[in-house]
Amino acid sequence: MAKKTIFEDCDVLVVGGGMAGTGAAFEARHWGRDLKIICVEKANIDRSGAVAQGLYAINYYIGMQWGENQPEDHVRYARNDLMGLVREDLGYDMARHVDATVHMFDDWGLPMMRNKETGRYQREGKWQIMIHGESYKPIVAEAARKSADKIYNRIMITHLLMDETKENRVGGAVGFNMRTGDYYVFRAKTVIVAAGGASHIFKPRAVGEGMGRTWYAPWSNGSAYALPIAVGAKMTQMENRIVLCRFKDGYGPVGAYFLHLKTYTENANGENYEKKWYDKTKELVGEYIDHHPTPTCLRNHAFIQETMAGGGPIHMVTKEAFQDPHLETVGWENFLGMTVGQAVVWASQNIDPKYTNPELTTSEPYVMGSHATCSGAWVSGPEDIAPAEYFWGYNRMTTVEGLFGAGDTVGGSAHKFSSGSFTEGRLAAKAAVKYIEEEKAKDINVSDKQCEEFKEIIFKPLENYTVGRNEITGGTVSPSYISPIQGLQRLQKIMDEYVGGISYNYMTNENTLKRGLELLEWLQEDLEKVGAEDYHQLMRAWELKHRTLTSQCVTEHTLFRQETRWPGYYYRGDYMKLDDENWHCLTLSRRDPKTGKFTMEKAPVYHIVDEKEKKEAS
Ligand SMILES: Cc1cc2nc3c(=O)[nH]c(=O)nc-3n(C[C@H](O)[C@H](O)[C@H](O)COP(=O)(O)OP(=O)(O)OC[C@H]3O[C@@H](n4cnc5c(N)ncnc54)[C@H](O)[C@@H]3O)c2cc1C
């Protein structure tokens, strides 16, 4: 079914040309002048990934040049928001480099807003600076295009290749072109996975005709996790899914509203409901509720409790701020540069925020490593600050040799957002080049047999359809194959009902998780029979398979952590309290590629920043 096979050999292969991928391609060229650098993207890098539509703020800028913040401050901030559990070495490493990244964006022509009085970047909040960011993605894409030897658009990477000389060493990746159906084999010395987070693994609030409307990009399908999981890379904090408080139905972001417009929330009776839930939340999480700023999950928790108690709908009070014409403009522009859909939803529902306070909602859960959450691959830290347990040679290298990660792919390092993801791509690329220079990628052997086997596997859904369609009894009713959309809805139902989705108010427990795992295993079996009628559906089939593998990992992690660490993201009904004594740790998983079984373990959390300061003081 496949058309021709195209081979491409290279030194650095970047999978995914979003924020982290463009950063990786750019930096790889800086350090590896003579290396062959290839970036492979499922869409088109000019408008791909979570920043496709543009952004209105760069959420992560330290401002060291003006003494606004120091890297240590950001580490403390991320630690606090994630209820104590982050990789501080990774966070610190990004924080000390992120400003340089933002300055490059400025040099490349990204329109930055400036504070008229100080001349500095216009702050939206302590960490955020405001931009006219509709052109953000094309600008970083240009930097990648000028750096890489070749950018391949419209190719979905489905599997990583493994070296056959040395165990546990990567050898490249394979995929297919969604327009031509050609099979692509990229044999590479190093691979940097930067394939974004995972939406649509839990049933979304918008179903049926509104199904594509999610907060995180609907095309983020978990390849960032499935690719490393499939080859046995260790993953961390995969239970730490994120739930967002957003404007209802359009998922318009609330950051600029809270921080710049100084709007606030209230329940249907005009009350500050967050205060009402203080005592009960304290019973669950202890002193974490007294931290400033209040961790994101705990603010969600109050929202969810209030709604369950009948206090909804929850509104954002915009009527006051929107009386100021400047703030009104900012409020609308915020959407027009990044989430046009929210403005359209308000227009369609007759909501003018100047006269009506719009409703908020909590989203379905997403899995990602770059926002207020940190699911992803377990990677080595930087050599100068990573503790021994977090260091195995090359910064941002996974536990598979030569396989690196950045952005949503990497776990433990929350709050990187667009600028941090690009920065992490740069860090990973620098280390990947070093790995090659130090001759760690010598004598890699990927046999034709391995490539041929993957070819058969990848195109099988086309075969399933061609054979199975003869038995279609009516419409799409087929006894011999399932379509990608049917499989996706089944996955979302399982995750929603058993792993803590919206229908169950984010509640789960050991029994439901075990049942969920059983159902996911059967789904995996049935996905051998997924059918694709064309190359686009073939992409859908592989997106679904990646989402399902990611979901299995999420479920295993959720079962392993016997506490409710992040109420408001999810609840373990059988362990409703935060348990620092037993669970102030990171969780790690590894799926055995031969058996498909997961093993779980704990890893220590090191509070490097404050330890460093304690030592300096003594
Ligand atoms: C609605 C929304 C609002 C946000 N607001 C802000 C904000 O205001 N400020 C801010 O700084 N950050 C914001 N962010 C966060 C920021 O966009 C992300 O942190 C960042 O884009 C993550 O970078 P990444 O490279 O990991 O993923 P992405 O940028 O999503 O890139 C992943 C890339 O991989 C490609 N890909 C996926 N699978 C495959 C595959 N199998 N093969 C080949 N290619 C593949 C995708 O097409 C995509 O191009 C926002 C995100 C969203 C969704």
Side-chain angles (χ1 to χ4, degrees), residues 285-583:
V285 300
E287 52 90 29
Y288 285 89
I289 186 62
D290 298 319
H291 289 198
H292 292 287
T294 306
T296 309
C297 64
L298 299 184
R299 299 194 70 182
N300 283 352
H301 174 66
F303 188 123
I304 296 163
Q305 296 310 305
E306 181 66 14
T307 316
M308 278 164 63
I314 306 292
H315 290 115
M316 179 75 96
V317 181
T318 51
K319 286 199 283 192
E320 294 161 15
F322 271 62
Q323 300 311 315
D324 175 336
H326 168 68
L327 296 183
E328 185 184 15
T329 306
V330 173
W332 283 108
E333 279 184 357
N334 182 245
F335 292 147
L336 297 180
M338 111 172 118
T339 316
V340 181
Q342 185 65 56
V344 178
V345 167
W346 280 353
S348 75
Q349 295 181 350
N350 213 15
I351 294 170
D352 180 344
K354 197 169 179 178
Y355 306 108
T356 308
N357 291 329
E359 256 183 81
L360 295 165
T361 191
T362 51
S363 73
E364 64 278 3
Y366 303 90
V367 180
M368 55 185 301
S370 72
H371 215 269
T373 175
C374 54
S375 310
W378 181 240
V379 297
S380 174
E383 62 185 344
D384 60 336
I385 43 173
E389 274 139 307
Y390 294 173
F391 182 70
W392 48 95
Y394 296 91
N395 201 0
R396 266 67 179 183
M397 188 167 84
T398 67
T399 54
V400 171
E401 279 188 47
L403 179 63
F404 294 77
D408 280 331
T409 309
V410 168
S413 50
H415 286 275
K416 19 190 171 192
F417 299 99
S418 60
S419 47
S421 297
F422 191 95
T423 305
E424 200 170 46
R426 296 178 60 199
L427 295 168
K430 183 179 177 185
V433 171
K434 188 164 175 248
Y435 177 90
I436 295 170
E437 278 171 354
E438 291 178 357
E439 308 211 331
K440 293 291 186 331
K442 267 180 94 177
D443 304 324
I444 294 177
N445 173 34
V446 174
S447 67
D448 289 349
K449 183 169 166 276
Q450 188 182 163
C451 301
E452 280 306 309
E453 278 170 6
F454 276 129
K455 185 172 182 179
E456 199 156 309
I457 293 168
I458 290 171
F459 291 94
K460 186 155 178 277
L462 292 172
E463 178 90 9
N464 289 345
Y465 175 81
T466 310
V467 175
R469 74 177 164 183
N470 298 317
E471 297 169 31
I472 291 176
T473 52
T476 56
V477 181
S478 65
S480 300
Y481 69 86
I482 58 169
S483 66
I485 186 70
Q486 289 165 337
L488 181 65
Q489 285 168 348
R490 184 163 143 199
L491 169 69
Q492 291 176 347
K493 184 168 154 61
I494 297 169
M495 294 302 285
D496 181 55
E497 294 177 355
Y498 294 95
V499 193
I502 47 172
S503 310
Y504 285 67
N505 287 314
Y506 312 100
M507 181 61 74
T508 185
N509 65 37
E510 181 173 333
N511 295 317
T512 54
L513 288 164
K514 283 186 171 160
R515 179 65 181 149
L517 280 173
E518 226 168 26
L519 293 170
L520 285 171
E521 204 172 316
W522 296 336
L523 174 60
Q524 288 266 24
E525 270 175 42
D526 288 350
L527 288 185
E528 288 304 308
K529 298 267 171 53
V530 68
E533 61 191 88
D534 54 31
Y535 298 130
H536 190 76
Q537 287 303 309
L538 187 61
M539 173 193 75
R540 291 279 184 245
W542 281 104
E543 286 184 338
L544 172 61
K545 283 172 182 252
H546 285 186
R547 283 188 165 104
T548 306
L549 190 53
T550 303
S551 300
Q552 270 187 321
C553 187
V554 168
T555 311
E556 293 278 2
H557 273 257
T558 311
L559 179 62
F560 184 60
R561 183 179 285 283
Q562 294 177 329
E563 66 160 352
T564 300
R565 168 68 48 171
W566 306 277
Y569 286 174
Y570 75 94
Y571 302 87
R572 275 287 303 252
D574 40 357
Y575 299 97
M576 274 300 279
K577 291 195 175 178
L578 181 145
D579 177 4
D580 258 343
E581 208 175 304
N582 296 301
W583 291 99

Side-chain angles (χ1 to χ4, degrees), residues 3 5 26 33 66 108 162 186 225 248 262 264 298 320 341 358 401 433 488 513 611 616:
K3 292 192 184 165
T5 301
F26 170 79
R33 293 277 151 196
W66 300 306
W108 295 342
M162 292 302 280
F186 299 95
Y225 312 115
K248 191 164 180 300
K262 307 285 182 225
Y264 55 92
L298 299 184
E320 294 161 15
E401 279 188 47
V433 171
L488 181 65
L513 288 164
E611 284 306 313
E616 276 164 11

Side-chain angles (χ1 to χ4, degrees), residues 15-22 40-45 47-52 54-60 124 128 136-137 155-158 194-197 214-217 219-224 227 246 251 253 338-339 368 370-371 406-409 416-422 546:
V15 177
M19 286 310 292
T22 49
V40 186
E41 164 59 47
K42 184 172 75 159
N44 182 313
I45 66 162
R47 285 282 170 197
S48 70
V51 180
L55 295 179
Y56 204 64
I58 289 175
N59 279 353
Y60 184 10
E124 181 184 83
Q128 300 82 354
Y136 196 178
K137 191 64 211 306
I155 291 179
M156 179 175 185
I157 294 296
T158 55
T214 55
W215 167 74
Y216 211 58
W219 45 83
S220 297
N221 69 285
S223 297
L227 292 170
R246 287 291 179 266
Y251 292 89
M338 111 172 118
T339 316
M368 55 185 301
S370 72
H371 215 269
D408 280 331
T409 309
K416 19 190 171 192
F417 299 99
S418 60
S419 47
S421 297
F422 191 95
H546 285 186

